[in-house]
Amino acid sequence: MTAYTATVTVRLKHGVLDPEAETTQKALKRLGFELGDLRSADRFEIDLEAADSDEAAERAGEMADRLLANPTIHDYDVAVTERE
Amino acid sequence: MTAYTATVTVRLKHGVLDPEAETTQKALKRLGFELGDLRSADRFEIDLEAADSDEAAERAGEMADRLLANPTIHDYDVAVTERE
């Protein structure tokens, strides 16, 4: 078995209202910053052991499907790196 | 001016308690998943115009210092990509 870190990034689907991002964007503008759109995302870095990186990615995807992401409003992507 | 997206990833500093990550880790284990440590992070994707990518990164860093990250408990990193 090899030690991996699977990074799951969970975003709201396009078109789904993002009040946190809107509030953050307005606050930054009030502070005088110039910016366009702002999108927020949650990121989970998961240390796990797996036979190979595909298995690590698959397991992280199952974790996202079961708990980390709500399929109705979220999209997610998984990136896997080997841990020293 | 060029259109960029600056991605600011805000993490809790090493050693700072992360109740959200702990709760998520326990829930995944209750669902039968095998995993080691789990760390959560907030990610902000900010569309902005800048003269070059250094200026875009600098502005995003200022946004992190002023609002997105609490210097007492957070570390952050900034990645900049050009937008089509």
Side-chain angles (χ1 to χ4, degrees), chain B residues 42-58:
Chain B
D42 288 325
R43 208 159 120 121
F44 300 93
E45 295 167 5
I46 304 160
D47 296 341
L48 45 83
E49 308 267 326
D52 54 40
S53 60
D54 287 344
E55 190 201 301
E58 204 184 304

Side-chain angles (χ1 to χ4, degrees), chain B residues 3-77:
Chain B
Y4 293 99
T5 294
T7 301
V8 180
T9 302
V10 179
R11 276 184 194 77
L12 286 168
K13 286 187 176 185
H14 202 69
V16 176
L17 267 182
D18 189 344
E20 182 186 342
E22 259 177 58
T23 308
T24 305
Q25 184 195 37
K26 282 185 186 136
L28 286 169
K29 286 186 172 176
R30 269 203 307 275
L31 286 170
F33 290 106
E34 278 180 35
L35 66 148
D37 287 341
L38 182 148
R39 296 166 298 279
S40 63
D42 288 325
R43 208 159 120 121
F44 300 93
E45 295 167 5
I46 304 160
D47 296 341
L48 45 83
E49 308 267 326
D52 54 40
S53 60
D54 287 344
E55 190 201 301
E58 204 184 304
R59 276 228 324 269
E62 281 166 33
M63 293 179 191
D65 291 336
R66 296 279 309 272
L67 183 77
L68 305 177
N70 173 342
T72 317
I73 58 169
H74 290 134
D75 287 324
Y76 69 83
D77 58 69

Side-chain angles (χ1 to χ4, degrees), chain A:
Chain A
M1 297 285 259
T2 310
Y4 292 99
T5 294
T7 301
V8 180
T9 303
V10 179
R11 279 185 191 77
L12 286 168
K13 287 187 175 187
H14 201 69
V16 176
L17 268 183
D18 189 346
E20 180 187 343
E22 260 179 56
T23 309
T24 306
Q25 184 196 37
K26 282 184 186 137
L28 286 169
K29 285 186 173 176
R30 269 201 306 274
L31 286 170
F33 289 106
E34 277 180 37
L35 66 149
D37 286 341
L38 183 147
R39 294 167 298 281
S40 65
D42 289 326
R43 208 159 120 120
F44 300 93
E45 295 166 8
I46 305 160
D47 296 341
L48 44 83
E49 308 268 327
D52 54 42
S53 60
D54 288 343
E55 190 199 299
E58 203 184 307
R59 274 225 329 267
E62 280 167 34
M63 293 177 191
D65 291 334
R66 296 281 307 275
L67 183 77
L68 305 177
N70 173 340
T72 317
I73 58 170
H74 290 134
D75 287 323
Y76 69 83
D77 57 69
V78 177
V80 173
T81 51
E82 215 170 300
R83 249 176 325 125
E84 277 82 45

